[in-house]
């Protein structure tokens, strides 16, 4: 009897403890409904870079589910047929999710196709022609505003899927080295709202014979038959009016440049931002006669409207064989860049590592009009081990070669008469280092193989402590170098600092960590 009473008291005690928990969950759910939708969207916006956090937020309550799904499904990536099947099922179960998809990235790479010389004769099956792919293309076509295409080869087998995306405003196409211009024309012909176009190459080395044939053809007839054929798919339609254009390592595709400069296809009179990166010096050597005509025409076409220019180049004075750099800086007063009379923002990105040489920036600054320049940005990479040696060359010895010292930059940009409206100069240095921190393995420590061995456990513990100390020392070293680098620029560019326009940033990049997307500008979307 006494035992039975104890069990009843225990049961009653347990039941009373669960009441507050149930009540608090109901209250939390009701409070979720009371949070304004715009506040919930702001909360989810803070979580947008963490898919796991968004997934958890969607499970909090019904009120949180919708705002979380807005960002959880705002971007999708398709790489194979399984992705198409998965997305198709998601949309079938929750049709409203399709309206949330703002950004879509499509990938396909046929290695077998790339290894065969006679490519036009190859017939292949693309997963983008499957039934699931066709269904989701027709559904997502009305919601996708940003489209990324990393498809090789881009041809009639997969372009039909991409043509469904008719509401695209921003288009990024990778692997443009060998993409046929007529295929590109078919891709964009239905995207009448297109305002931002980004074309990336650099995957395939330029072919000298093909380049020379294209060059001679362009000299013989500036309005070739191929250009007339390209007008056929979009005849009786107004030209695309772009406001932003990115061209990365595709200037050897003269036919593509001709297509972009054709007023029947593109009206560049409203272009405000141009991001141009020309081919590396090694690739330039493969071509006997470089033709600058179409790039010069491009600058001339956008000269009055362009507000922002970003140039990606391979290096400074040490890369004196950069023929594009030489073409645009040899005679500053007659440089094709002089037509950019309304330029307000100018960014120069040096893509060669271990160089802090300012001569690159000085040469280009002398070649552009400066009356309206308000914002400038210089970006370069340097290795932490080479930093001390480089500082001796470009910061500490101005008397040996003043043009290779950062004091020359301070004198030029600090001149209020030369740059009267300059408001900011941002110098970004990417500090490269290798932490080389590996987890301990059996090869690193002498072990007997017995999991309960005290000696082996102690050895592993000591190894963990050593690695933790090494990691802390590496972090401290990088932080010290970063602080030293900022101070060095600020002590050298004194006039700019006094004007309040100098901003020095140091980005730390650990080369021992895997980062597949670091090298490709294709994945750097604007938020």
């Amino acid at each position: 009897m006494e035992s039975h009473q104890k069990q009843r008291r225990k049961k009653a005690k347990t039941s009373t403890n669960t009441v507050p928990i149930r009540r608090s969950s109901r209250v939390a759910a009701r409070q979720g409904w009371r949070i304004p939708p715009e506040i919930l969207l702001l909360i989810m916006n803070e979580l947008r870079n963490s898919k796991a956090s968004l997934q958890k937020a969607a499970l909090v309550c019904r009120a949180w589910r919708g705002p979380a799904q807005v960002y959880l499904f705002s971007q999708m990536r398709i790489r194979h047929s399984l992705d198409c099947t998965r997305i198709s099922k998601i949309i079938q179960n929750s049709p409203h999710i399709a309206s949330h998809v703002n950004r879509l990235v499509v990938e396909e790479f046929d290695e077998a196709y790339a290894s065969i010389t006679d490519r036009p004769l190859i017939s292949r099956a693309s997963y983008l022609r499957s039934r699931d792919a066709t269904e989701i293309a027709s559904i997502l076509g009305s919601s996708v505003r940003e489209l990324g295409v990393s498809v090789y080869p881009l041809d009639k087998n997969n372009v039909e899927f991409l043509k469904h995306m008719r509401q695209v405003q921003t288009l990024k196409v990778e692997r443009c080295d060998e993409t046929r211009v007529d295929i590109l024309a078919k891709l964009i012909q239905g995207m009448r709202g297109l305002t931002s176009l980004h074309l990336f190459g650099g995957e395939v080395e330029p072919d000298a014979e093909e380049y020379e044939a294209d060059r001679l053809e362009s000299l013989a007839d500036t309005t070739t038959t191929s250009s007339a054929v390209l007008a056929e798919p979009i005849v009786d339609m107004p030209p695309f009016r772009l406001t932003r254009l990115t061209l990365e390592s595709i200037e050897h595709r003269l036919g593509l440049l001709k297509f972009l400069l054709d007023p029947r296809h593109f009206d560049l009179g409203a272009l405000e931002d141009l991001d141009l990166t020309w081919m590396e010096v090694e690739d330039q050597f493969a071509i006997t006669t470089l033709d600058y005509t179409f790039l010069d025409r491009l600058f001339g076409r956008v000269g009055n409207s362009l507000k922002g220019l970003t140039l990606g180049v391979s290096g400074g004075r040490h890369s004196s064989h950069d023929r594009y750099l030489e073409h645009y800086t040899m005679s500053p007063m007659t440089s094709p860049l002089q037509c950019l009379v309304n330029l307000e923002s100018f960014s120069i990105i040096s893509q060669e590592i271990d160089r802090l040489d300012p001569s690159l920036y000085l040469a280009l600054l002398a070649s552009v009009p400066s009356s309206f320049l308000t914002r400038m940005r210089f970006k370069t990479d340097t290795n932490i081990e080479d930093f001390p040696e480089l500082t001796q060359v470009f910061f500490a010895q101005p008397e040996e070669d003043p043009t290779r010292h950062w004091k020359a930059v301070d004198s030029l940009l600090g001149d209020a008469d030369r740059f009267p409206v300059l408001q900011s100069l941002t110098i970004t240095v990417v500090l490269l280092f290798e932490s080389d921190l590996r987890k301990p393995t059996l090869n690193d420590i002498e072990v007997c193989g017995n999991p309960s061995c005290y000696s082996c456990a102690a050895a592993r513990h000591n190894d963990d402590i050593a690695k933790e100390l090494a990691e802390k020392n590496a972090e401290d070293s990088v932080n010290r170098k970063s602080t030293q680098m900022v101070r060095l620029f600020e002590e050298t560019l004194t006039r700019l600092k006094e004007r309040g326009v100098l901003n020095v940033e140091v980005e730390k990049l650990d080369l021992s960590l895997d980062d597949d997307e670091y090298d490709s500008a294709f994945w750097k979307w604007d938020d």
Side-chain angles (χ1 to χ4, degrees):
M1 183 68 180
E2 184 178 355
S3 175
H4 181 66
Q5 290 177 349
K6 288 182 179 180
Q7 291 180 358
R8 289 181 61 184
R9 285 197 298 269
K10 183 177 181 181
K11 182 177 181 181
K13 185 178 180 180
T14 304
S15 62
T16 56
N17 289 339
T18 59
V19 172
I21 297 176
R22 293 176 181 174
R23 182 179 300 171
S24 63
S25 64
R26 292 197 298 269
V27 171
R30 288 198 298 269
Q31 288 177 346
W33 281 101
R34 295 174 184 174
I35 300 177
E38 56 272 17
I39 301 299
L40 285 174
L41 284 173
L42 289 176
I43 294 174
M44 302 309 162
N45 182 52
E46 293 297 320
L47 302 176
R48 68 186 184 277
N49 294 324
S50 175
K51 189 173 182 179
S53 298
L54 288 172
Q55 290 173 337
K56 292 178 181 178
L59 299 176
V60 170
C61 63
R62 185 180 300 175
W64 285 50
R65 185 184 307 161
Q69 288 180 344
V70 169
Y71 289 96
L72 188 59
F73 295 100
S74 64
Q75 47 188 329
M76 288 187 175
R77 191 170 178 177
I78 300 176
R79 287 167 286 189
H80 40 66
S81 58
L82 292 179
D83 287 337
C84 296
T85 303
R86 177 177 55 84
I87 294 173
S88 179
K89 291 181 178 179
I90 291 174
I91 294 176
Q92 287 176 8
N93 295 331
S94 305
H96 67 281
I97 286 178
S99 62
H100 299 329
V101 183
N102 178 71
R103 178 183 300 167
L104 178 66
V105 175
V106 182
E107 299 179 61
E108 184 181 26
F109 181 68
D110 191 337
E111 296 182 359
Y113 179 92
S115 63
I116 299 177
T117 305
D118 196 9
R119 298 187 179 112
L121 300 179
I122 303 298
S123 60
R124 61 188 185 83
S126 170
Y127 77 88
L128 294 174
R129 302 185 69 176
S130 66
R131 183 180 65 179
D132 289 336
T134 303
E135 289 180 358
I136 64 176
S138 60
I139 296 174
L140 298 181
S142 60
S143 62
V144 172
R145 297 295 185 272
E146 299 179 356
L147 177 63
V149 180
S150 183
V151 174
Y152 183 81
L154 182 62
D155 55 23
K156 62 181 181 180
N157 291 286
N158 41 47
V159 76
E160 292 299 323
F161 172 93
L162 302 169
K163 285 170 60 177
H164 282 86
M165 311 300 153
R166 294 182 173 272
Q167 302 302 320
V168 169
Q169 299 171 355
T170 299
L171 174 64
K172 295 192 173 187
V173 184
E174 200 177 44
R175 300 183 178 276
C176 287
D177 303 273
E178 296 186 347
T179 299
R180 286 165 42 187
V181 180
D182 61 324
I183 294 295
L184 182 62
K186 290 180 180 179
L187 170 63
I188 67 174
Q189 63 181 349
M191 303 174 182
R192 304 319 303 176
L194 185 66
T195 59
S196 183
L197 179 61
H198 309 264
L199 305 177
F200 297 90
E203 297 288 338
V204 181
E205 294 183 4
D207 185 276
E209 294 183 1
E210 291 182 4
Y211 182 90
E212 185 63 17
D214 290 344
R215 188 182 73 85
L216 294 176
E217 181 182 2
S218 64
L219 291 176
D221 186 1
T222 57
T223 58
T224 61
T225 305
S226 59
S227 179
V229 172
L230 292 176
E232 186 176 339
I234 51 178
V235 68
D236 297 331
M237 292 185 181
F240 294 99
R241 193 169 176 82
L242 299 180
T243 59
R244 186 170 183 182
L245 177 63
T246 296
L247 303 176
E248 180 173 308
S249 302
I250 59 101
E251 73 283 353
H252 61 285
R253 296 291 313 280
L254 301 181
L256 181 55
L257 291 178
K258 188 185 299 184
F259 172 59
L260 294 172
L261 289 169
D262 193 328
R264 295 172 296 177
H265 307 305
F266 296 94
D267 178 6
L268 300 180
L271 194 72
E272 296 182 356
D273 293 285
L274 174 63
D275 191 334
L276 174 65
T277 300
W278 52 67
M279 70 179 79
E280 297 180 358
V281 174
E282 290 76 7
D283 293 331
Q284 296 177 24
F285 280 134
I287 300 174
T288 304
T289 305
L290 280 176
D291 193 321
Y292 313 102
T293 305
F294 292 105
L295 281 187
D296 292 350
R297 286 182 189 172
L298 176 62
F299 285 121
R301 187 73 58 83
V302 304
N304 292 326
S305 63
L306 201 66
K307 297 294 190 296
L309 173 64
T310 298
L311 287 180
V313 296
S314 16
R317 170 171 290 189
H318 63 286
S319 295
S320 57
H321 296 295
D322 189 327
R323 292 149 69 184
Y324 282 99
L325 181 62
E326 182 179 340
H327 173 71
Y328 289 109
T329 62
M330 178 180 293
S331 180
M333 299 309 298
T334 59
S335 171
L337 301 179
Q338 283 292 325
C339 67
L340 308 179
V341 293
N342 293 311
L343 198 63
E344 298 176 0
S345 175
F346 188 27
S347 299
I348 306 171
I349 302 177
S350 175
Q351 297 184 330
E352 188 144 356
I353 300 175
D354 299 340
R355 301 295 177 187
L356 290 174
D357 190 347
S359 59
L360 163 67
Y361 312 109
L362 292 169
L364 286 169
L365 287 174
S367 302
V368 298
S370 57
S371 301
F372 297 99
L373 279 176
T374 59
R375 301 180 305 278
M376 293 186 192
R377 182 190 179 201
F378 304 155
K379 185 174 182 179
T380 188
D381 297 350
T382 187
N383 195 296
I384 191 171
E385 296 178 355
D386 298 324
F387 176 66
E389 179 182 350
L390 295 175
T391 56
Q392 293 297 318
V393 177
F394 302 120
F395 288 91
Q397 300 174 359
E399 64 280 356
E400 293 187 4
D401 189 350
T403 62
R404 299 189 68 190
H405 195 277
W406 278 91
K407 268 297 182 184
V409 175
D410 189 53
S411 300
L412 177 63
L413 297 182
D415 186 351
D417 295 330
R418 179 73 172 83
F419 294 88
V421 295
L422 182 63
Q423 297 177 2
S424 66
L425 168 64
T426 300
I427 299 176
T428 303
V429 180
V430 181
L431 188 60
L432 309 175
F433 67 97
E434 292 189 43
S435 61
D436 194 25
L437 300 175
R438 299 175 295 109
K439 294 182 179 180
T441 64
L442 294 179
N443 294 326
D444 298 327
I445 311 169
E446 292 185 4
V447 294
C448 63
N450 186 355
S452 61
C453 177
Y454 174 81
S455 299
C456 294
R460 290 191 181 94
H461 178 68
N462 293 334
D463 189 77
D464 289 340
I465 294 177
K467 289 185 180 295
E468 184 177 349
L469 291 174
E471 182 177 356
K472 187 178 185 304
N473 291 335
E475 182 179 357
D476 291 343
S477 176
V478 172
N479 291 336
R480 286 196 303 271
K481 285 291 191 298
S482 300
T483 303
Q484 180 184 356
M485 188 175 297
V486 173
R487 184 170 60 249
L488 193 60
F489 275 103
E490 291 179 345
E491 291 175 352
T492 304
L493 306 177
T494 54
R495 296 179 65 178
L496 293 172
K497 186 177 180 181
E498 290 175 358
R499 289 182 59 182
V501 301
L502 181 63
N503 178 35
V504 182
E505 302 174 344
V506 177
E507 296 180 2
K508 306 166 188 176
L509 180 64
D510 189 350
L511 297 179
S512 62
L513 302 179
D514 294 331
D515 191 350
D516 296 334
E517 297 183 1
Y518 172 74
D519 292 328
S520 178
F522 176 76
W523 304 111
K524 299 176 183 176
W525 295 82
D526 294 324
D527 294 323

